[in-house]
Amino acid sequence: MKSEILQQIKQYETIILHRHVRPDPDAYGSQMGLAEIIRASFPEKKVYSVGNDEVSLQFLGAVDEIADEVYKDALVIVCDTANQERVSDVRFSSGQKLIKIDHHPNDDAYGDLLWIDTTASSCSEMIVAFWETFSDELILNETAARLLYAGIVGDTGRFLYPSTTEETLRLSAHLVTFPFDRPALYRELYELPKNTVKLSGYILQNFVMDENGAATVYLSDTLLREFEVDPRDASALVSCIENVEGIKAWIMFIQEGPVFRARLRSKGPVINELAKEYGGGGHPLASGATLHNEEEIKEMTAKLARICATK
């Protein structure tokens, strides 16, 4: 499949890369990292990275604004996005050919060519593997290395999550040979505003955990306004209770207008099937969903408790 993707990249003069809405470092890293590799390797091509901008990740790079007609006769590559409804910018289906590159379960097999590797820690890891396979033809420069490293670090929790494999570390070793400022990158990825840190204190004081290690915390929009934290920044705190003794899996419910964002994390029990029940999905140990009322919150909480009770 990697050979077919490279052939398509060589064939097209215009290449447009997409990723998912509400992007994280891996979405930015894989999308813009691959774009930079293509740009450096084939300078005559027109290469664009599009999608909704994310203020907190602007230090990684800026998205491109392009007209609809640019999609005519273009190759479109979507990175790190399991489902079509989560692709940022609906024009992704307007090109001549569509490629999906992803490390999530392939629940929505969209695209003309699909490269799915659920064993990879991140989509950024897959892009490094793609470059390595064709390193005699493709150029990995410092800009691409920084982007891809950020993506891998983000999705592996600084190489602490179980998704980190020997292959993850081996491929990451290519990236650290470039002289980008890794300490500065870590600061930009993980520094939090003072009010967000204060909210983490509230979470640590108010999460609820049952005897089987199922935990939940609920952040209302009133509470978020009190702490002056937006839902996106609140989501960054989902792992702040992961070191609690006895915890197996947990959900952070974050109110965002009329809906509730459920951020699910686990230290063992599989929770992505639970997320799928509510129109969401993700990895076995890290998933998300959108709920529409408090009754669904109660239902999901009870189901998580049953999952943890059997594990």
Side-chain angles (χ1 to χ4, degrees):
M1 182 54 63
K2 286 185 279 188
S3 295
E4 294 178 54
I5 291 174
L6 179 59
Q7 290 308 311
Q8 293 300 318
I9 289 172
K10 289 179 177 179
Q11 179 180 331
Y12 282 84
E13 294 182 3
T14 300
I15 302 171
I16 306 169
L17 292 100
H18 289 246
R19 33 79 178 159
H20 60 76
V21 295
R22 302 172 65 84
D24 56 12
D26 187 34
Y28 260 67
S30 58
Q31 175 200 32
M32 294 186 178
L34 178 55
E36 185 61 28
I37 289 172
I38 297 171
R39 196 175 290 117
S41 306
F42 307 101
E44 74 282 0
K45 296 184 183 296
K46 299 174 183 176
V47 185
Y48 305 99
S49 297
V50 303
N52 61 301
D53 204 5
E54 172 54 49
V55 175
S56 66
L57 295 175
Q58 285 180 341
F59 65 89
L60 290 176
V63 295
D64 297 307
E65 298 287 342
I66 61 174
D68 293 352
E69 54 264 28
V70 179
Y71 282 84
K72 183 182 179 182
D73 301 325
L75 171 65
V76 177
I77 303 175
V78 179
C79 296
D80 196 39
T81 312
N83 306 312
Q84 294 180 71
E85 61 267 21
R86 296 203 70 229
V87 181
S88 183
D89 196 325
V90 296
R91 297 177 296 174
F92 75 95
S93 58
S94 302
Q96 188 174 93
K97 181 155 287 190
L98 177 62
I99 296 175
K100 175 185 180 182
I101 301 176
D102 191 27
H103 69 124
H104 299 93
N106 193 27
D107 295 327
D108 183 1
Y110 64 89
D112 301 299
L113 290 176
L114 293 79
W115 176 27
I116 310 298
D117 184 359
T118 57
T119 68
S121 69
S122 55
C123 194
S124 294
E125 178 183 321
M126 294 175 67
I127 302 305
V128 181
F130 179 73
W131 161 78
E132 183 186 58
T133 301
F134 307 108
S135 58
D136 57 335
E137 299 182 74
L138 298 178
I139 296 172
L140 177 68
N141 59 22
E142 182 178 343
T143 300
R146 177 178 176 271
L147 284 160
L148 294 167
Y149 188 78
I152 293 172
V153 166
D155 256 27
T156 62
R158 289 173 278 191
F159 303 104
L160 294 175
Y161 297 160
S163 59
T164 304
T165 65
E166 179 182 347
E167 184 71 354
T168 307
L169 298 173
R170 189 187 69 79
L171 290 168
S172 298
H174 289 301
L175 306 178
V176 299
T177 63
F178 291 87
F180 62 88
D181 191 338
R182 275 183 285 155
L185 182 60
Y186 277 105
R187 287 195 298 272
E188 290 170 313
L189 284 170
Y190 293 105
E191 276 187 348
L192 295 172
K194 182 171 64 175
N195 51 340
T196 304
V197 175
K198 288 183 176 180
L199 178 61
S200 70
Y202 172 89
I203 293 169
L204 291 169
Q205 289 184 327
N206 291 277
F207 76 92
V208 177
M209 186 172 76
D210 69 15
E211 66 277 9
N212 296 308
T216 57
V217 62
Y218 175 78
L219 305 179
S220 68
D221 53 5
T222 301
L223 181 75
L224 294 181
R225 286 195 297 271
E226 177 184 334
F227 280 89
E228 299 180 340
V229 175
D230 63 31
R232 169 74 193 199
D233 287 341
S235 294
L237 300 174
V238 66
S239 296
C240 73
I241 60 173
E242 66 180 346
N243 293 321
V244 173
E245 182 180 4
I247 196 168
K248 292 182 182 178
W250 63 100
I251 308 172
M252 179 181 289
F253 297 106
I254 304 170
Q255 187 173 8
E256 187 173 350
V259 299
F260 304 88
R261 308 292 183 186
R263 303 295 178 224
L264 297 86
R265 295 293 185 270
S266 174
K267 297 174 76 172
V270 173
I271 43 81
N272 60 339
E273 292 299 324
L274 175 56
K276 289 177 186 177
E277 290 184 36
Y278 296 87
H283 302 287
L285 305 183
S287 297
T290 299
L291 310 187
H292 298 89
N293 53 63
E294 304 225 2
E295 186 59 36
E296 289 186 333
I297 292 177
K298 293 177 183 177
E299 289 176 1
M300 181 177 268
T301 300
K303 290 176 181 178
L304 180 72
R306 289 196 291 271
I307 290 171
C308 289
T310 59
K311 300 296 181 181

